[in-house]
Amino acid sequence: MLTGLNHLTLAVTGLQASVDFYVGVLRFRLRAQWDTGAYLELGDLWLCLSLDKARSLASAPDYTHYAFNIAQQDFARFVEHARSYGVKEWKSNRSEGDSFYFLDPDGHQLEAHVGSLESRLEQCRLRPYAGMQFFD
């Protein structure tokens, strides 16, 4: 039986640029690095960066993204910090809780989000999405 998320692996076109981004901007801890990859961690999250020179940044964008937890009291400071690195923002927040949507060097869509599933569901109960059902 599955018990939770084990790790994320992201295909990257520039390994060192991605390591620098995840360590410098997002404050991941670098645990291991080799010619074609790296292992990093942030709290309980294990992230693998895997060099893939065939990856294309020109692929059609979609809504797939990876959201990281952040405390409300740290949100503004984080946004300022990320912007000081010149990160590109890909979306404006229109949902419950503060969110900052930004790209890594390979165009992976990331988010720093204040909130939880419970806070999102509470807001959705007040203003449900079209056709939304709740299962408690």
Side-chain angles (χ1 to χ4, degrees):
M1 172 121 5
L2 298 177
T3 60
L5 183 64
N6 184 275
H7 69 276
L8 295 176
T9 298
L10 299 179
V12 300
T13 58
L15 182 61
Q16 195 57 52
S18 292
V19 167
D20 293 347
F21 174 85
Y22 282 91
V23 170
V25 177
L26 301 187
R27 305 293 194 216
F28 274 73
R29 182 172 153 221
L30 182 61
R31 296 295 309 271
Q33 185 171 344
W34 58 99
D35 290 348
T36 60
Y39 291 141
L40 301 97
E41 71 178 346
L42 182 68
D44 292 333
L45 176 61
W46 165 19
L47 176 67
C48 175
L49 302 176
S50 181
L51 186 61
D52 181 357
K53 294 183 182 199
R55 177 177 163 73
S56 170
L57 297 178
S59 61
D62 62 22
Y63 194 62
T64 300
H65 67 278
Y66 309 98
F68 300 95
N69 288 323
I70 190 164
Q72 184 67 61
Q73 66 267 20
D74 298 328
F75 182 78
R77 187 173 61 238
F78 171 79
V79 171
E80 181 180 332
H81 170 75
R83 286 180 175 155
S84 76
Y85 273 78
V87 300
K88 181 177 177 185
E89 297 176 46
W90 65 273
K91 181 180 185 287
S92 296
N93 186 32
R94 294 184 303 271
S95 63
E96 165 274 332
D98 284 333
S99 284
F100 178 64
Y101 298 89
F102 56 101
L103 301 176
D104 80 355
D106 278 279
H108 294 110
Q109 297 177 154
L110 308 175
E111 173 188 1
H113 178 69
V114 176
S116 64
L117 176 58
E118 291 310 314
S119 63
R120 177 63 53 88
L121 290 173
E122 182 179 319
Q123 186 65 33
C124 287
R125 282 183 171 82
L126 297 173
R127 291 194 319 259
Y129 307 143
M132 189 170 211
Q133 298 177 27
F134 298 94
F135 305 95
D136 292 324

